[in-house]
């Protein structure tokens, strides 16, 4: 080999060594197993995402959103509630504002301040929020001009009331297919008077107001605070309305998560067609057009990934949820003497008859 060829060979070899060293320095380091001396495969450097939910994990809606977020980010939750992100490229923390159990404005503001303190100390790369209280009490006062990208979900009907979206904030609003459900319920009612009953929260009041706008008619509204007042309100509404829209009442002061007393009361006392948009009410009412909480979480997490990979939140438009399922309560239909048409049955989930046939 002549001297010119040798020089070219040595130069090429040197460049290869430098490139290899550079690559090894810039690759994400992985911890070494002491027994084998091999990498564990666990990612050690992750972008940080904080998820702030307005409520808590004892609320089934939040369970669904959280499931959607975890599955999209490839993170699992351990039985003790801790998160396992060993297979994910993201480090997730979850903060619960618990505003259904502590609904006073003072308590909600204190929870938002606590979340803001966590943001300042942990310094997340992106924040996900769910439902209205996180938007009203955390996003608006603390995050509008923070520069931290935010993806919201679960805001009912209209995010513009909070000044959203912005150049750094986008997300998915939650809409219910109330118009389609009421149109169906009118086939089985004696008139067109509509009532609404849920619990005494910001979400309930905003929700019922938007139902009025969508339906183009005034709704009789009740916002009880205890199970006892909830029962009294439901009984009185049946004398005032032909259709009752029933929300999940998890913010009642004496709510303990046991739904059986509510179901038993409605089985015994329902006399007019009832409907709901909450899947967890499907066994309580005649007809349900339910939303997917998982859809909200999946969209929020997938949008977060897009932003962390370089897309600007300001270029991602706010969207509405699209998934819904129809549930027919055949036990309630039997009680009210209602026979559903075959075309509705074919596109619905039917719930089992919860009456004792032997009592007939």
């Amino acid at each position: 080999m002549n001297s010119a060829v040798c020089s070219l060979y040595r130069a090429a070899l040197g460049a290869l060594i430098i490139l290899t060293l550079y690559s090894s320095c810039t690759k994400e380091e992985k911890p070494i197993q002491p027994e084998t001396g091999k990498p564990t495969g666990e990612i050690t450097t992750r972008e940080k995402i904080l998820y702030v939910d307005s409520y808590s994990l004892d609320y089934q809606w939040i369970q669904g959103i959280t499931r959607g977020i975890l599955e999209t980010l490839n993170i699992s939750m351990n039985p003790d509630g801790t998160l396992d992100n060993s297979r994910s490229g993201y480090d997730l923390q979850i903060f619960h504002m618990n505003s259904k159990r502590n609904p006073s404005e003072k308590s909600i503001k204190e929870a938002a301040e606590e979340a803001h303190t966590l943001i300042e100390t942990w310094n997340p790369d992106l924040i996900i929020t769910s439902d209205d209280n996180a938007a009203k009490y955390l996003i608006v006062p603390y995050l509008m001009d923070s520069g931290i990208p935010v993806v919201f979900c679960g805001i009912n009907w209209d995010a513009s009331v909070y000044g959203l979206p912005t150049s750094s904030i986008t997300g998915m609003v939650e809409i219910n297919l109330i118009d389609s459900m009421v149109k169906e319920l009118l086939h089985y009612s004696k008139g067109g008077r509509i009532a609404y009953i849920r619990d005494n929260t910001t979400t309930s009041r905003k929700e019922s107001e938007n139902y009025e706008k969508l339906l183009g008619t005034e709704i009789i509204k009740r916002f009880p605070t205890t199970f006892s007042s909830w029962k009294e309100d439901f009984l009185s509404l049946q004398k005032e309305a032909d259709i009752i829209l029933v929300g999940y009442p998890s913010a009642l002061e004496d709510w303990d998560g046991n739904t059986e007393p509510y179901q038993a009361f409605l089985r015994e006392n329902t006399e007019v067609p009832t409907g709901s948009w909450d899947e967890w009410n499907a066994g309580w009412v005649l007809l349900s057009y339910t939303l997917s909480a998982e859809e909200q979480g999946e969209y929020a997490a997938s949008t977060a990934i897009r932003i962390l990979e370089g897309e600007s939140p300001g270029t991602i438009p706010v969207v509405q949820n699209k998934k819904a399922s129809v549930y027919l309560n055949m036990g309630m239909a039997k009680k009210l003497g209602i026979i559903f048409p075959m075309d509705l049955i074919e596109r619905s989930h039917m719930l089992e008859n919860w009456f004792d046939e032997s009592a007939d």
Side-chain angles (χ1 to χ4, degrees):
M1 183 181 296
N2 60 39
S3 59
V5 173
C6 287
S7 296
L8 288 172
Y9 177 80
R10 284 194 296 270
L13 181 60
L16 178 61
I17 291 171
I18 290 171
L19 180 60
T20 302
L21 288 172
Y22 176 77
S23 299
S24 65
C25 290
T26 56
K27 284 182 180 177
E28 197 166 40
E29 293 185 2
K30 299 179 180 179
I32 302 298
Q33 297 175 349
E35 314 86 56
T36 64
K38 297 179 179 179
T40 63
E42 180 179 336
I43 300 170
T44 58
T45 303
R46 301 177 176 85
E47 290 175 292
K48 296 186 291 186
I49 299 174
L50 175 65
Y51 166 42
V52 180
D53 89 68
S54 294
Y55 309 128
S56 64
L57 268 179
D58 60 1
Y59 183 31
Q60 288 168 305
W61 173 254
I62 295 302
Q63 292 171 19
I65 292 177
T66 303
R67 246 187 332 268
I69 291 173
L70 295 180
E71 290 175 2
T72 304
L73 298 178
N74 199 23
I75 294 172
S76 58
M77 182 174 289
N78 299 316
D80 63 357
T82 59
L83 300 177
D84 177 5
N85 61 8
S86 60
R87 297 182 304 280
S88 176
Y90 304 94
D91 187 6
L92 178 71
Q93 278 202 50
I94 300 177
F95 181 91
H96 306 290
M97 290 179 64
N98 206 19
S99 63
K100 276 195 179 291
R101 308 309 304 156
N102 302 295
S104 72
E105 187 166 28
K106 180 176 182 291
S107 296
I108 299 173
K109 284 184 175 180
E110 288 175 350
E113 289 174 5
E114 189 177 345
H116 182 238
T117 299
L118 175 59
I119 292 167
E120 290 187 319
T121 55
W122 193 51
N123 193 28
D125 297 291
L126 182 141
I127 298 167
I128 294 173
T129 70
S130 65
D131 295 278
D132 282 73
N133 282 338
K136 181 178 181 180
Y137 294 98
L138 179 65
I139 293 179
V140 172
Y142 297 114
L143 301 177
M144 296 291 275
D145 302 312
S146 69
I148 304 173
V150 178
V151 181
F152 62 78
C153 65
I155 291 180
N156 288 276
W157 296 95
D158 181 13
S160 67
V161 296
Y162 304 119
L164 304 174
T166 70
S167 60
S168 61
I169 304 172
T170 188
M172 172 179 276
V173 296
E174 174 192 339
I175 62 168
N176 297 319
L177 306 180
I178 292 300
D179 50 347
S180 298
M181 184 175 70
V182 168
K183 183 178 179 181
E184 187 63 41
L185 287 170
L186 285 170
H187 294 311
Y188 318 111
S189 68
K190 295 179 180 179
R193 298 174 301 169
I194 302 169
Y196 171 103
I197 182 171
R198 192 171 180 181
D199 45 28
N200 189 21
T201 63
T202 301
T203 294
S204 298
R205 294 181 181 276
K206 181 183 178 185
E207 188 173 63
S208 62
E209 291 169 2
N210 279 285
Y211 288 177
E212 286 183 320
K213 294 176 184 177
L214 183 65
L215 297 171
T217 187
E218 186 176 351
I219 294 176
I220 306 165
K221 299 184 283 286
R222 295 289 186 274
F223 307 104
T225 57
T226 65
F227 183 32
S228 176
S229 60
W230 183 86
K231 290 188 288 186
E232 292 176 3
D233 283 342
F234 183 83
L235 292 175
S236 68
L237 285 175
Q238 292 193 111
K239 300 175 183 177
E240 303 173 52
D242 304 298
I243 293 171
I244 301 178
L245 308 178
V246 183
Y248 199 62
S250 58
L252 297 182
E253 294 172 3
D254 49 1
W255 173 264
D256 61 2
N258 180 16
T259 63
E260 180 52 36
Y262 296 80
Q263 296 183 56
F265 177 82
L266 290 176
R267 290 172 187 171
E268 181 67 25
N269 295 283
T270 297
E271 297 176 356
V272 302
T274 52
S276 186
W277 53 99
D278 285 323
E279 181 179 345
W280 315 285
N281 280 10
W284 310 16
V285 299
L286 174 67
L287 178 68
S288 300
Y289 275 53
T290 71
L291 305 183
S292 167
E294 285 81 0
E295 179 187 12
Q296 299 276 337
E298 290 165 2
Y299 180 83
S302 61
T303 303
I305 292 171
R306 290 168 61 186
I307 293 169
L308 291 173
E309 289 180 346
E311 201 166 342
S312 170
T315 65
I316 303 174
V318 172
V319 299
Q320 298 177 345
N321 55 280
K322 298 178 180 178
K323 297 179 181 179
S325 300
V326 180
Y327 289 86
L328 304 179
N329 188 328
M330 305 310 288
M332 188 65 76
K334 179 178 180 180
K335 175 179 173 61
L336 298 177
I338 290 171
I339 299 175
F340 293 117
M342 187 55 64
D343 67 319
L344 178 61
I345 290 175
E346 289 176 345
R347 57 187 173 88
S348 304
H349 303 279
M350 289 187 292
L351 302 180
E352 293 294 328
N353 192 325
W354 33 247
F355 288 101
D356 182 2
E357 298 289 350
S358 63
D360 289 347

